[in-house]
Amino acid sequence: MNVFITGGCGFIGSHLAERLLERGDRVQVLDDLSTGSMQNIAHLVGRPGFSYRIGSALDVPLVTELVDSADVTVHLAAAVGVKLIVEKPVHTIETNVRATEVVLGAAARKQKLVVVASTSEVYGKSTSIPFREDQDLQLGPTSHSRWAYACSKALDEWLALAYLREKGVPVIITRFFNTVGPRQTGQYGMVLPSFAAQALRNEPITVYGSGEQSRCFGHVRDAVEGLLRLMSTPTAIGEVFNIGSTQEVSILGLAEQVRDAAGSRSEIILVPYGEAYAAGFEDMMRRVPDVSKLEGVTGFRPRTSLDVIVRDVVEDQRSRMAAAANGGVPFMSARR
Ligand code: UDP
């Protein structure tokens, strides 16, 4: 298969590219390096079947050319990370909505399959746990920037399904829950790499709010496996799928687990949300996926345990720090 990945220098995109190459597919990636990085694909550059373009997913001629030349497009390019989203709401809305329009418009020319990456954020403040794909979404007010992300991704989903119904474009929608693993950076606010870096430096581990809020962290390897299986399942077309782990942990519990795994002396401190993000910031207390639809259609559900995930992330942060201390570029040598 020829697979085109938008956002292919990002965290999930680079893992997907790696897996596709391993199984003999050809991969083209497009990335504007806004949150993605060349380091993420450094180990893939030069491999047979791999090519990359640095450019924007809003560039219609470029995206059209790349969608046309592929069998499948996986659209991962998006503004991500709660911190970034709260700080740059215009960028978030414009990037997320326009890029998806461009990709779907290009795919409509030759009815090419598009996988549109969405997010568990679309469930918003819903408390009906576990979240099922067909349940109502419950977003907060427009005065809170956080919900702009959920809304922009929900619009992406509507747009994708509209392209299928009106123009016959085959689409699959994947709602990724908290996906973590090697190569994810804490720079955009993601909790696990941030905690791992703090623990390894013996700095205070910053738990926002009470720390009683919980999440389910899924390994990126499992997220990629789910995505690959969906891509080759005809009955997945026109459907929305949760992809994530169902092992729930409180953020305070996560901080303790990371501290233990890192052998750290860090203290764990509670930081009010208003200090961490902005006044009036709304968090959700729980977020757990129902993955029975994914399992029913593909026979697969993410199973990597939190122990393994935390260990992988701590080791990844450790090797990044060692590489940075040696003036080298993380991953290039470690991942070959
Ligand atoms: N969080 C935290 N400390 C941090 C970063 C995040 O306590 O340094 C919390 C955050 O408030 C949320 C949870 O960890 O309750 C997960 O945050 P993340 O941004 O990773 O993902 P989200 O689930 O919010 O999309």
Side-chain angles (χ1 to χ4, degrees):
M1 253 198 317
N2 283 316
V3 183
F4 168 41
I5 307 173
T6 70
C9 298
F11 163 57
I12 298 179
S14 63
H15 282 278
L16 174 63
E18 190 174 307
R19 274 291 307 279
L20 287 164
L21 290 171
E22 273 165 17
R23 66 176 207 186
D25 292 317
R26 299 179 66 78
V27 177
Q28 295 212 77
V29 312
L30 172 67
D31 205 298
D32 67 0
L33 302 183
S34 53
T35 54
S37 116
M38 283 304 291
Q39 286 166 23
N40 287 344
I41 58 155
H43 61 298
L44 305 179
V45 174
R47 280 204 200 168
F50 181 76
S51 62
Y52 70 92
R53 301 280 276 270
I54 303 307
S56 170
L58 305 179
D59 181 336
V60 177
L62 178 59
V63 170
T64 305
E65 175 201 324
L66 293 168
V67 168
D68 273 358
S69 66
D71 302 308
V72 185
T73 296
V74 182
H75 178 44
L76 291 166
V80 289
V82 176
K83 189 162 161 258
L84 179 73
I85 278 141
V86 171
E87 283 166 10
K88 292 188 168 178
V90 173
H91 167 80
T92 300
I93 299 167
E94 290 188 351
T95 307
N96 292 359
V97 178
R98 280 204 209 139
T100 306
E101 278 174 3
V102 171
V103 168
L104 290 167
R109 290 159 38 96
K110 297 183 184 163
Q111 311 292 304
K112 292 288 179 76
L113 176 61
V114 183
V115 179
V116 174
S118 184
T119 166
S120 57
E121 277 276 321
V122 298
Y123 292 104
K125 296 193 276 188
S126 172
T127 51
S128 72
I129 300 282
F131 295 160
R132 284 173 48 95
E133 293 86 347
D134 56 0
Q135 79 184 49
D136 289 346
L137 310 181
Q138 206 179 325
L139 304 187
T142 50
S143 52
H144 292 263
S145 295
R146 175 183 196 145
W147 305 117
Y149 176 55
C151 197
S152 68
K153 293 309 289 185
L155 191 55
D156 284 354
E157 294 193 16
W158 265 304
L159 200 59
L161 295 172
Y163 265 85
L164 171 68
R165 285 183 200 128
E166 237 180 278
K167 299 175 191 280
V169 179
V171 296
I172 298 169
I173 294 161
T174 52
R175 287 184 185 159
F176 291 108
F177 281 63
N178 295 70
T179 305
V180 294
R183 278 181 227 152
Q184 187 178 39
T185 153
Q187 212 181 332
Y188 307 106
M190 279 77 166
V191 67
L192 188 47
S194 304
F195 281 3
Q198 290 168 335
L200 288 167
R201 294 194 192 102
N202 292 308
E203 291 170 359
I205 299 179
T206 54
V207 170
Y208 300 161
S210 68
E212 284 164 25
Q213 73 273 28
S214 66
R215 295 290 186 274
C216 299
F217 294 92
H219 200 292
V220 64
R221 195 174 44 225
D222 288 341
V224 165
E225 179 65 30
L227 205 154
L228 288 178
R229 290 194 186 211
L230 288 171
M231 260 165 59
S232 54
T233 305
T235 52
I237 291 171
E239 299 291 333
V240 180
F241 295 90
N242 290 336
I243 302 186
S245 159
T246 52
Q247 188 183 350
E248 200 175 357
V249 63
S250 73
I251 298 302
L252 197 52
L254 179 74
E256 286 161 358
Q257 203 166 330
V258 170
R259 182 172 61 181
D260 290 350
S264 164
R265 300 185 306 277
S266 290
E267 61 169 328
I268 295 173
I269 58 168
L270 298 183
V271 179
Y273 285 120
E275 270 175 41
Y277 301 107
F281 179 81
E282 295 185 303
D283 202 4
M284 51 285 281
M285 280 310 287
R286 294 181 69 197
R287 182 191 276 164
V288 183
D290 180 329
V291 287
S292 53
K293 187 170 173 188
L294 174 72
E295 191 172 19
V297 168
T298 66
F300 172 78
R301 62 183 291 143
R303 288 191 195 279
T304 306
S305 73
L306 188 61
D307 286 356
V308 172
I309 290 174
V310 167
R311 200 188 57 212
D312 270 15
V313 172
V314 167
E315 281 322 304
D316 176 60
Q317 287 292 332
R318 209 192 288 279
S319 60
R320 273 171 185 258
M321 285 181 185
N326 292 332
V329 181
F331 304 113
M332 290 181 88
S333 52
R335 303 226 132 238
R336 261 182 224 275

